[in-house]
Amino acid sequence: MRLHDKVAIITGAARGIGQSAAEVFCREGATVVIWDLLAEGETTAQRLRNQGFRCDFMSVSTTDVSGIETAAKEVYDRYGRIDILINNAGITRDKTLLKMSFDEWQQVIDVNLTGVFNCTKVVAPYMVEQKYGRIICTSSINGVHGAFGQTNYAAAKAGIIGMVRSWSKELGPKGITANAVAPGFIQTAMTDAMPDEVRNQAVATIPVRRIGKPDDIANAYLFLASDEASFVNGHVLAVNGGQAL
Ligand code: NAD
């Protein structure tokens, strides 16, 4: 049980990668709190509680600072600690630069970049108080290398790397590590929305010749959240089957 007695908030865990992370973290002994917009978050939490795990759902948007403040205080009051924050929530609004509207730019920046800042800004003081914390943020292969049709997404995911490296320096002396995971091509609702042909072409470029599974990323989150990773700080862990090196 690598997360015995740890309390973890995972954003965007109603489905997809975050949902897998909630399952993996529960199995490893953590108390998990899901912050998501989707009511399906309660279904996920209920299913995990039915299996005997500790998992709560809170309806929280990572763009709503006062909602985050209220939810973080509730978690702290209920469990007395917040050990792990996984900033996993994210959206896409893909268009080429020439077609992207200002609104599409702003929506993705608001959720994928400012949302990560908001949650970390609110939760970090609890971690400072307890002199322990693990902050893990979900970047992307496309934030490292750029991607056709993803000016907004790539900018936000690259921005996450800058924030994580800054936090690793600011918060490291206070017992808190900050790291990012940069997933490659992972099978979730986000990639199911792509046309089959585009998806098949993408898989053909992955050296291990398969699409990633949500658990591949959840296990990377687990490593970074565990005590084994206590000397890993400011790192960007690529989990992409070797697609981009
Ligand atoms: P998904 O769409 O299946 O899940 C994203 C979750 O985030 C959803 O439950 C959604 O409701 C939630 N969410 C969105 N906006 C929110 C907000 N403002 N507040 C709270 N919750 C919000 O996507 P996924 O594929 O599981 O992606 C998870 C993370 O991994 C994202 O940050 C994504 O950018 C990143 N990522 C995914 C892939 C991939 O191939 N699937 C690749 C690289 C990075």
Side-chain angles (χ1 to χ4, degrees):
M1 297 273 257
R2 286 200 274 174
L3 302 178
H4 182 61
D5 281 347
K6 295 284 195 288
V7 176
I9 294 170
I10 308 178
T11 72
R15 67 180 193 195
I17 292 169
Q19 184 185 59
S20 279
E23 290 165 6
V24 167
F25 276 46
C26 279
R27 280 203 302 273
E28 292 290 335
T31 296
V32 171
V33 182
I34 295 171
W35 285 358
D36 206 297
L37 293 170
L38 294 177
E40 289 155 64
E42 179 52 27
T43 316
T44 299
Q46 184 66 59
R47 187 166 43 77
L48 287 165
R49 285 197 298 273
N50 290 346
Q51 293 169 41
F53 299 124
R54 290 178 304 278
C55 186
D56 299 335
F57 166 64
M58 291 178 172
S59 178
V60 176
S61 171
T62 59
T63 59
D64 169 19
V65 174
S66 71
I68 295 166
E69 286 170 342
T70 306
K73 185 171 183 313
E74 216 175 306
V75 174
Y76 191 77
D77 289 348
R78 195 178 301 168
Y79 297 113
R81 351 186 11 93
I82 305 176
D83 298 290
I84 301 160
L85 170 66
I86 315 251
N87 286 303
N88 165 84
I91 60 169
T92 51
R93 297 286 182 271
D94 294 354
K95 293 272 171 65
T96 58
L97 171 67
L98 299 183
K99 293 184 180 153
M100 185 174 290
S101 67
F102 290 98
D103 192 44
E104 284 160 343
W105 161 265
Q106 198 58 53
Q107 283 177 36
V108 171
I109 296 298
D110 286 349
V111 176
N112 293 11
L113 185 65
T114 310
V116 173
F117 171 80
N118 293 342
C119 292
T120 310
K121 165 87 181 143
V122 170
V123 169
Y126 293 100
M127 294 178 167
V128 170
E129 178 75 23
Q130 70 203 11
K131 299 185 177 60
Y132 180 90
R134 293 272 185 275
I135 297 164
I136 297 157
C137 302
T138 313
S139 178
S140 166
I141 189 173
N142 295 346
V144 178
H145 297 277
F148 188 96
Q150 290 201 314
T151 297
N152 49 4
Y153 187 84
K157 295 297 189 181
I160 283 176
I161 293 172
M163 292 199 294
V164 156
R165 289 188 171 146
S166 303
W167 297 336
S168 70
K169 295 178 202 296
E170 292 181 10
L171 300 175
K174 300 178 193 304
I176 300 164
T177 62
N179 291 288
V181 173
F185 199 44
I186 311 298
Q187 183 153 29
T188 67
M190 196 174 265
T191 46
D192 284 346
M194 296 167 78
D196 283 350
E197 198 191 325
V198 178
R199 195 171 36 249
N200 293 342
Q201 278 171 5
V203 172
T205 67
I206 302 173
V208 300
R209 291 291 185 273
R210 70 168 175 87
I211 192 166
K213 299 186 298 282
D215 269 6
D216 292 318
I217 306 305
N219 285 321
Y221 293 162
L222 171 62
F223 168 65
L224 292 172
S226 71
D227 286 340
E228 285 94 330
S230 62
F231 202 54
V232 182
N233 191 22
H235 185 66
V236 182
L237 180 56
V239 185
N240 61 33
Q243 189 178 10
L245 299 172

